[in-house]
Amino acid sequence: MGEHTLGQGQSLIQPQPQPQPLPAATPPDSDLANVPPQTHSPATKIPLRPRKIRKLSPDPSTSESQTEPPKPAKSGGRSTKPPPPPRALAVVPRIVARSLSCEGEVEIALRFLRNADPVLSPLIDIHQPPTFDNFHTPFLALTRSILYQQLAYKAGTSIYTRFIALCGGENGVVPDTVLALTPQQLRQIGVSGRKASYLHDLARKYQNGILSDSAIVNMDDKSLFTMLTMVNGIGSWSVHMFMIFSLHRPDVLPINDLGVRKGVQLLYNLEDLPRPSQMDQLCEKWRPYRSVASWYMWRFVEAKGTPSSAVAVATGASLHHQQQQQQQQQPHPPQPQLLDPINSMFNLG
């Protein structure tokens, strides 16, 4: 019995040190005791191994060196992709138009328009080039613009002559002098009460420093348009005429001018008269000399027998001379003008 117990004890003692090498040699007795830990350990290790693999795959030094360069490349690409367009735009020759009164600028404009618009080229060859050589102070030109609004040429000239005499000559047409004229004085020379308020509003904005001749000359087109349309009685059409014929700005498109719109319709054989909102797109090819192209639209309309006061400005002909020609060529009364007379307003020719 003792021996059996010792033998049994020995046999029981021997399997106890064996649990340590259980991973290498798994006896049947120890398997039953160690099954739970083995079943739990692989269950936890199996999902962990793919996670480790997923983490290790991007982490090696070789993969990091491969993945890191593209990241700066992507960020660099985002920063470098925008520059290429500007570089491409910078490479394209860009014409910076000068004042049309600068020597040789009209000739440069005509060469550009011939190449940019083959449809316009025949008109340039037929008609004499425009001239932009009058120089009046901006205040005087704007004052004339207000006085000639909605008046026939003869009536406007009569009122303007009396207005100049009231101011002591064209050199006396300054803000202080105009503000000193009462509505009654202006009414006596034929200026309506509404136009008198327009003249005073213009002079007041000069006196307050909102406008000045130097500021007007140095403003860009967009800012100038915004500032001048703030003056009572000066609308977009008056500003466009002032910019072309007084300041000689090269890239002004009078989208509201009926003569220019009619010329575009005839030039491109459009079924309908283009709307002002369509003019920019139709005349985009004329940039940066849309003022000169507009001048040819007036000439084109004139040649088609549809007189316009703006044509008189462009050609330098007086409205009276135009009416005489129309009466000689046509037995019936002359066609109504598309626009109010402005040839004396800018005194071209």
Side-chain angles (χ1 to χ4, degrees):
M1 297 292 292
E3 294 178 354
H4 290 292
T5 55
L6 290 174
Q8 292 175 355
Q10 290 176 353
S11 62
L12 293 172
I13 293 170
Q14 289 177 354
Q16 290 178 353
Q18 290 179 356
Q20 297 177 353
L22 278 178
T26 56
D29 294 339
S30 60
D31 291 339
L32 297 175
N34 296 325
V35 165
Q38 288 179 355
T39 55
H40 290 294
S41 60
T44 55
K45 290 180 181 178
I46 288 173
L48 290 175
R49 288 178 182 174
R51 292 178 185 174
K52 291 181 180 180
I53 292 171
R54 291 176 185 175
K55 293 180 181 179
L56 291 174
S57 59
D59 290 341
S61 59
T62 56
S63 63
E64 288 178 357
S65 61
Q66 293 176 353
T67 56
E68 287 177 359
K71 289 180 181 179
K74 289 179 181 179
S75 61
R78 292 173 186 173
S79 60
T80 54
K81 283 180 183 178
R87 290 177 184 173
L89 291 174
V91 173
V92 177
R94 188 176 181 181
I95 299 176
V96 179
R98 301 175 299 169
S99 170
L100 294 175
S101 57
C102 293
E103 184 178 0
E105 192 64 22
V106 172
E107 289 75 10
I108 295 173
L110 297 183
R111 286 197 300 268
F112 173 85
L113 291 173
R114 281 192 181 98
N115 296 329
D117 191 354
V119 181
L120 181 63
S121 182
L123 291 179
I124 298 175
D125 297 332
I126 293 172
H127 299 287
Q128 292 294 323
T131 57
F132 301 89
D133 54 5
N134 72 307
F135 295 95
H136 293 291
T137 64
F139 183 78
L140 175 61
L142 292 171
T143 300
R144 297 171 74 175
S145 172
I146 293 174
L147 289 173
Y148 271 87
Q149 286 177 4
Q150 300 178 349
L151 290 178
Y153 171 75
K154 186 176 180 180
T157 302
S158 177
I159 293 175
Y160 179 72
T161 302
R162 292 196 293 265
F163 175 80
I164 293 300
L166 198 60
C167 294
E170 288 188 336
N171 293 332
V173 182
V174 295
D176 291 341
T177 303
V178 174
L179 283 174
L181 298 176
T182 65
Q184 291 76 14
Q185 289 177 297
L186 293 172
R187 191 177 296 110
Q188 289 176 355
I189 63 172
V191 179
S192 65
R194 178 173 295 182
K195 284 189 179 180
S197 67
Y198 295 164
L199 293 173
H200 286 164
D201 185 62
L202 174 65
R204 195 173 296 109
K205 283 181 169 56
Y206 263 79
Q207 194 178 60
N208 295 338
I210 298 175
L211 292 174
S212 67
D213 285 349
S214 59
I216 287 175
V217 170
N218 294 317
M219 279 185 195
D220 61 89
D221 292 350
K222 186 176 180 180
S223 300
L224 181 60
F225 183 88
T226 302
M227 295 300 294
L228 290 183
T229 51
M230 292 172 58
V231 179
N232 295 334
I234 297 181
S236 61
W237 183 83
S238 297
V239 174
H240 287 152
M241 297 300 105
F242 169 75
M243 291 169 69
I244 295 175
F245 296 110
S246 291
L247 300 183
H248 309 150
R249 297 289 175 94
D251 194 34
V252 179
L253 179 65
I255 59 174
N256 294 314
D257 183 273
L258 190 55
V260 176
R261 293 167 60 196
K262 186 65 178 178
V264 171
Q265 180 188 13
L266 296 173
L267 184 67
Y268 298 120
N269 296 320
L270 303 178
E271 295 182 1
D272 301 320
L273 188 70
R275 297 187 300 272
S277 59
Q278 297 174 317
M279 290 293 291
D280 279 322
Q281 182 178 359
L282 291 170
C283 306
E284 178 65 26
K285 61 177 70 68
W286 296 344
R287 285 181 184 272
Y289 293 107
R290 293 181 297 174
S291 299
V292 179
S294 298
W295 189 91
Y296 281 98
M297 291 301 96
W298 286 315
R299 295 300 306 271
F300 190 32
V301 170
E302 179 195 24
K304 291 294 183 178
T306 308
S308 167
S309 60
V311 175
V313 178
T315 60
S318 67
L319 184 62
H320 180 66
H321 180 64
Q322 281 188 340
Q323 291 175 345
Q324 287 181 343
Q325 289 182 341
Q326 293 166 11
Q327 291 174 359
Q328 293 174 0
Q329 296 174 359
Q330 301 176 357
H332 56 276
Q335 299 177 1
Q337 295 180 10
L338 298 177
L339 299 173
D340 298 326
I342 57 172
N343 56 329
S344 178
M345 180 170 63
F346 300 108
N347 193 24
L348 287 183

